[in-house]
Amino acid sequence: MTDTERTHGHTHTERADACAPAASARSVAAHLAIVLGSVDPLPPVRVALDEARGLVLAEDVLTVTDTPPFDNSAMDGYAVILADLLEASAQNPITLPVVADLAAGTDQNPRLVPGQVARIMTGAPIPDGADAVVPIEDTDQGTEQVTILQAPKPAAHIRRAGEDAHAGDRVLHAGSVLWPTRVAAAASAGTSSVLVHPAPRVAVISTGSELVTPGSPTRRGQIPDSNSFLLSAAVAEAGGIPVRIGAVPDDDDVLRAVLTELAGQVDVIVLSGGVSVGAYDVVKAVLKPLGTVDFGPVKMQPGKPQGFGRWPATDSVPGPLIFALPGNPVSAYVSFEVFVRPALRRLLGQETLHRRTVTATVVDGWRSPPGRAQYMPVILTRRTIDADSTDGSADNIEARPASRGGSGSHLVAGLAQANGLAIVLEDTTHIRGGDLITVMLTS
Amino acid sequence: MTDTERTHGHTHTERADACAPAASARSVAAHLAIVLGSVDPLPPVRVALDEARGLVLAEDVLTVTDTPPFDNSAMDGYAVILADLLEASAQNPITLPVVADLAAGTDQNPRLVPGQVARIMTGAPIPDGADAVVPIEDTDQGTEQVTILQAPKPAAHIRRAGEDAHAGDRVLHAGSVLWPTRVAAAASAGTSSVLVHPAPRVAVISTGSELVTPGSPTRRGQIPDSNSFLLSAAVAEAGGIPVRIGAVPDDDDVLRAVLTELAGQVDVIVLSGGVSVGAYDVVKAVLKPLGTVDFGPVKMQPGKPQGFGRWPATDSVPGPLIFALPGNPVSAYVSFEVFVRPALRRLLGQETLHRRTVTATVVDGWRSPPGRAQYMPVILTRRTIDADSTDGSADNIEARPASRGGSGSHLVAGLAQANGLAIVLEDTTHIRGGDLITVMLTS
């Protein structure tokens, strides 16, 4: 790099935080609309049921056969011919020969003729000729012959083929999230694999020559990389598959080479750092000439600089989505929650893109810059002991900033205690104790 | 098996569902207390940060060095000696030689003497002698020499070593769940690995000679195994590592061999089927003689038969926990939610063992057996459009049974639509439209 370039070099702060937004800055909602407008669910792939949990179906699942597939017994007992037993009672027990013993899983089908019964276990197929099941409780439990103490009702304790579903019935709709009970429904329908939107592969890169892998010795000038761990864990929590690349130095050629290699391997690349207002930060230096990544500022705090776009397509395949987030850890985290997470959810085919919100009462007030939406890491607590309830009326939940220093730089330890992001609207500059505020739940 | 044994053979129903509970039956709370009283968090292991997300810390995490580890610049600008610039202003610009260029990550430490400045980037270490930083905005951005247009304040834009944390400070407490921001805090503290309670390995086995792998051709008498998929997915959702064994036939020797081999490899074994009131169901036949698994019935519907205990210890190592659940899919699922999931959460070291609950208004009533707590799969919907809100006051949430047939047998497709389990107390027999009811949220 030239000296001039370094003048505008790498920065982890947002110098304009205290300034009014540039005229071209867009609102959070406008930027999110741009992001989501560029993202569709990933093309469906077929996966084995063991790999399907939590993914979203891209097809209807139909039953392969009737469910149950054959008439079967709902009880342990005896398959009988009703006409033989119309007069049976404790006072008039009727004894008949047992001509078969039908266990669950058997394929035997001994045709009963009048005067015969078959012992039968729950789930075993009803033999031809039988039209009721007598539970063992109403018999002497005999094995050669059995004495029956009560007349069955017609079709008693027989589960009919197709009673639950007919072959071709739709048991699951496209768009359904595969909860455990839905994976089970697909299995029960006779399906071994399902067409789903796959989990996006997301490369995560920190930029900055000062960054070293945590646990490595540091010399003067170096600090541990935490953003690649933060954002990789956040990707996994959102349902994506993180590919943590770690830290890349402030060197255009190195970063360009890393991105070029990743482009064919992942669906999304999330960068942090190197996107400040200077024109020559490494991420900007590499991405801006592509013409496919926009760095328009967003009217928010923290997180004002936001790069978003795509790596150039190769052949007919679109390049991976690129999110270039600020390097400050709080800024990177807020940017992830507000823009990247909804995009990952959309790639997954999820209908619910956004975190749940609650209304909370502010305990200690704070300030917010004019003309910018603020996302303040807060600790939410309940006034009552009823921690398991979600009856979250506002006066039961209190919010206080997670660190004394507000949402400023390098407050990773404070951020780690926050379980929500309070959302301060653009035109609000003072948040006071007792105010009600909307909080995005992050854990 | 002998004929006599088969009389009490395998069953997927619960024959006593309509009967009063046996005198020895215990309440759900009493059974849960027995389960949780037998379970401690798994012994801690050290894992790399990349593997730590979602796990619970078994140690405090302390910062390795001061954070930040050295005085550094909060801005791109010039490190200066304050005394040189007390008179600087736009009207009285002061020009000084630039003797060094300090990028982020540099280990240079050029000692400044009066009259000298160093260019400095955000995050770069403050050189000895400097006591303030002038932002580039207040200069002409020169590289050989620089003209400064404003006097800095003392210590302006210097982040002090240890400002966020001192070496040895506790940044995370033992018992904390490692959210993404907490993984980042550990990284930022200079830690590459953490001591955590590991995820339990959980073997999942369906029993029943009628069961085949979904997608395999079925002959008369056979149906697809769905329980091993249901329970494996539920294990994963709870944070465990499922080891899906699949279906094992109703053969004592085969089941015993499978369990013996698994005993040294997993922390928990979850079986379904073979635990009915008969004395000789395969799971009972294998486990009861051990003397370490209890089959005491529980006053609940569905799920009355509940096996719980341990496989016998070998040497000084305790055997895996064993849960022997009913074979009916709805019963197996309810039993998992009520007993197994809290146990897995305890093994993980989680403080929150139970699902969140909401209060909902019943739309279509149903019946519940006397003397037994009932868990009814329900579909919860909101009356309002405000789907993202958790302001879940009771009159906003409606609950209706997920399948026409209630919580009976083989209603996997209905269960797949349920997003909650309504909890009916032991002494309640009629649930009517308009009643308020507590619902465990399962998705």
Side-chain angles (χ1 to χ4, degrees):
Chain A
M1 284 194 182
T2 66
D3 276 353
T4 309
E5 284 170 347
R6 284 272 25 142
T7 304
H8 301 274
H10 178 88
T11 171
H12 272 197
T13 57
E14 295 164 36
R15 277 173 294 192
D17 260 17
C19 309
S24 65
R26 61 177 77 107
S27 70
V28 169
H31 189 65
L32 185 58
I34 290 170
V35 169
L36 292 178
S38 312
V39 179
D40 289 314
L42 288 174
V45 298
R46 188 159 290 280
V47 300
L49 281 189
D50 281 319
E51 310 300 325
R53 184 190 67 86
L55 297 175
V56 176
L57 270 176
E59 63 176 355
D60 291 345
V61 173
L62 312 181
T63 48
V64 173
T65 62
D66 286 355
T67 308
F70 44 85
D71 291 0
N72 69 91
S73 179
M75 302 286 274
D76 290 352
Y78 296 83
V80 301
I81 298 171
L82 187 64
D84 293 337
L85 295 163
L86 294 174
E87 307 300 323
S89 69
Q91 291 71 41
N92 182 36
I94 295 179
T95 300
L96 295 171
V98 179
V99 300
D101 188 12
L102 305 173
T106 186
D107 63 353
Q108 287 182 58
N109 187 9
R111 183 169 182 86
L112 299 191
V113 298
Q116 293 182 337
V117 306
R119 207 151 63 119
I120 193 165
M121 300 301 134
T122 305
I126 301 290
D128 286 349
D131 54 8
V133 169
V134 177
I136 54 169
E137 291 88 338
D138 297 338
T139 74
D140 70 349
Q141 307 190 17
T143 56
E144 302 289 320
Q145 56 181 37
V146 65
T147 299
I148 291 172
L149 306 169
Q150 188 166 335
K153 291 183 178 151
H157 308 301
I158 295 178
R159 290 191 200 115
R160 291 295 178 195
E163 184 177 299
D164 293 339
H166 291 287
D169 278 359
R170 181 169 57 185
V171 292
L172 295 171
H173 291 251
S176 301
V177 181
L178 286 165
W179 304 332
T181 54
R182 289 177 175 170
V183 175
S188 187
T191 299
S192 61
S193 65
V194 282
L195 199 65
V196 296
H197 300 289
R201 289 175 57 84
V202 184
V204 178
I205 302 170
S206 302
T207 64
S209 295
E210 76 280 24
L211 302 176
V212 298
T213 302
S216 306
T218 51
R219 59 161 173 70
R220 176 181 165 86
Q222 295 181 324
I223 59 171
D225 163 34
S226 63
N227 277 356
S228 77
F229 291 90
L230 170 69
L231 297 170
S232 292
V235 164
E237 196 200 52
I241 300 170
V243 180
R244 195 179 63 77
I245 305 300
V248 169
D250 292 322
D251 180 313
D252 296 6
D253 293 336
V254 172
L255 179 61
R256 191 178 296 109
V258 168
L259 294 175
T260 303
E261 187 175 343
L262 282 171
Q265 303 172 14
V266 297
D267 303 298
V268 183
I269 298 173
V270 178
L271 296 138
S272 62
V275 295
S276 198
V277 290
Y280 296 98
D281 282 276
V282 60
V283 171
K284 269 193 173 166
V286 171
L287 296 181
K288 218 161 183 183
L290 301 175
T292 55
V293 179
D294 172 76
F295 286 87
V298 177
K299 290 187 277 184
M300 65 189 291
Q301 193 264 341
K304 182 165 175 267
Q306 291 289 338
F308 173 71
R310 282 191 184 272
W311 189 256
T314 50
D315 303 331
S316 61
V317 181
L321 288 169
I322 292 186
F323 290 90
L325 312 183
N328 172 293
V330 178
S331 307
Y333 178 66
V334 166
S335 302
F336 182 92
E337 285 289 337
V338 176
F339 301 118
V340 185
R341 190 176 187 281
L344 297 184
R345 304 278 297 172
R346 170 67 59 81
L347 288 168
L348 282 158
Q350 294 275 358
E351 276 183 27
T352 306
L353 303 183
H354 300 296
R355 295 277 200 187
R356 290 189 305 127
T357 58
V358 293
T359 303
T361 304
V362 172
V363 176
D364 304 313
W366 66 86
R367 293 190 171 194
S368 179
R372 298 166 72 183
Q374 186 193 51
Y375 291 82
M376 171 63 81
V378 292
I379 297 173
L380 294 174
T381 51
R382 284 184 187 282
R383 263 186 216 162
T384 61
I385 305 300
D386 185 19
D388 271 359
S389 164
T390 54
D391 186 15
S393 46
D395 54 354
N396 273 336
I397 304 180
E398 296 181 334
R400 65 198 80 207
S403 39
R404 304 137 296 174
S407 60
S409 295
H410 289 276
L411 296 162
V412 181
L415 181 64
Q417 301 316 317
N419 52 4
L421 292 174
I423 304 171
V424 183
L425 302 180
E426 273 187 27
D427 52 0
T428 303
T429 54
H430 289 75
I431 298 86
R432 296 182 178 84
D435 284 358
L436 294 183
I437 196 158
T438 299
V439 180
M440 183 191 300
L441 295 175
T442 56
S443 73
Chain B
M1 286 193 180
T2 66
D3 278 350
T4 308
E5 284 171 346
R6 285 273 23 145
T7 302
H8 301 273
H10 178 88
T11 173
H12 272 197
T13 58
E14 296 164 37
R15 277 173 294 191
D17 261 20
C19 308
S24 66
R26 60 176 78 107
S27 71
V28 169
H31 189 66
L32 185 59
I34 289 170
V35 169
L36 293 178
S38 312
V39 180
D40 290 313
L42 288 174
V45 298
R46 187 159 290 282
V47 300
L49 281 188
D50 280 319
E51 309 300 324
R53 184 190 69 85
L55 297 174
V56 175
L57 270 177
E59 64 176 353
D60 291 346
V61 173
L62 311 181
T63 47
V64 174
T65 61
D66 287 355
T67 308
F70 44 85
D71 291 0
N72 69 91
S73 180
M75 301 287 274
D76 290 350
Y78 297 83
V80 302
I81 297 171
L82 187 66
D84 293 338
L85 294 163
L86 294 175
E87 306 300 322
S89 69
Q91 291 70 40
N92 181 36
I94 294 180
T95 299
L96 294 171
V98 179
V99 299
D101 188 11
L102 304 174
T106 186
D107 62 353
Q108 287 182 59
N109 187 9
R111 183 172 182 85
L112 299 191
V113 297
Q116 292 182 337
V117 305
R119 204 151 64 120
I120 192 165
M121 300 302 135
T122 304
I126 301 291
D128 287 348
D131 55 9
V133 169
V134 177
I136 54 170
E137 291 88 336
D138 297 338
T139 74
D140 70 349
Q141 307 190 17
T143 56
E144 301 288 321
Q145 55 180 39
V146 64
T147 299
I148 291 171
L149 307 168
Q150 188 166 335
K153 291 183 178 149
H157 308 302
I158 295 179
R159 291 191 199 116
R160 290 296 177 194
E163 182 177 299
D164 293 339
H166 291 287
D169 277 0
R170 182 168 58 186
V171 291
L172 295 171
H173 290 250
S176 301
V177 181
L178 287 165
W179 303 333
T181 53
R182 289 177 175 168
V183 175
S188 188
T191 299
S192 61
S193 65
V194 282
L195 200 65
V196 297
H197 300 289
R201 288 173 58 84
V202 183
V204 178
I205 302 171
S206 302
T207 64
S209 295
E210 75 280 22
L211 302 175
V212 298
T213 302
S216 306
T218 51
R219 58 161 173 72
R220 175 181 164 86
Q222 295 181 323
I223 58 171
D225 164 34
S226 64
N227 277 357
S228 77
F229 292 91
L230 170 68
L231 297 170
S232 293
V235 164
E237 196 199 53
I241 301 169
V243 180
R244 194 178 64 76
I245 305 300
V248 170
D250 292 322
D251 180 312
D252 297 5
D253 293 337
V254 173
L255 180 60
R256 191 179 296 109
V258 169
L259 294 176
T260 303
E261 187 175 342
L262 283 171
Q265 303 172 15
V266 298
D267 303 299
V268 183
I269 298 172
V270 178
L271 295 139
S272 63
V275 295
S276 197
V277 290
Y280 297 97
D281 282 276
V282 60
V283 171
K284 269 193 173 166
V286 171
L287 296 182
K288 217 160 184 183
L290 301 176
T292 55
V293 179
D294 171 78
F295 286 87
V298 177
K299 291 187 278 184
M300 65 190 291
Q301 194 262 340
K304 181 164 173 270
Q306 291 289 339
F308 173 70
R310 281 191 185 272
W311 189 257
T314 50
D315 303 330
S316 61
V317 182
L321 288 169
I322 292 186
F323 291 90
L325 312 183
N328 171 293
V330 178
S331 307
Y333 178 66
V334 166
S335 302
F336 182 92
E337 286 288 338
V338 176
F339 301 118
V340 185
R341 190 176 187 281
L344 297 184
R345 302 279 295 171
R346 170 67 58 79
L347 288 168
L348 282 157
Q350 294 274 359
E351 276 182 28
T352 306
L353 303 182
H354 300 295
R355 296 279 201 186
R356 290 189 306 127
T357 59
V358 292
T359 302
T361 304
V362 171
V363 176
D364 303 313
W366 67 86
R367 294 188 173 195
S368 179
R372 298 166 72 183
Q374 187 193 49
Y375 292 81
M376 171 64 81
V378 293
I379 297 172
L380 294 173
T381 51
R382 285 183 186 282
R383 264 189 216 155
T384 61
I385 304 299
D386 184 18
D388 271 0
S389 165
T390 54
D391 188 13
S393 45
D395 55 354
N396 273 336
I397 305 180
E398 295 181 335
R400 66 198 80 208
S403 37
R404 304 135 296 170
S407 60
S409 296
H410 289 273
L411 296 161
V412 181
L415 181 65
Q417 301 315 317
N419 52 5
L421 293 175
I423 304 171
V424 183
L425 301 181
E426 275 187 26
D427 52 359
T428 302
T429 55
H430 288 75
I431 299 85
R432 297 184 177 83
D435 285 357
L436 294 183
I437 196 160
T438 300
V439 180
M440 182 191 300
L441 296 176
T442 56
S443 74

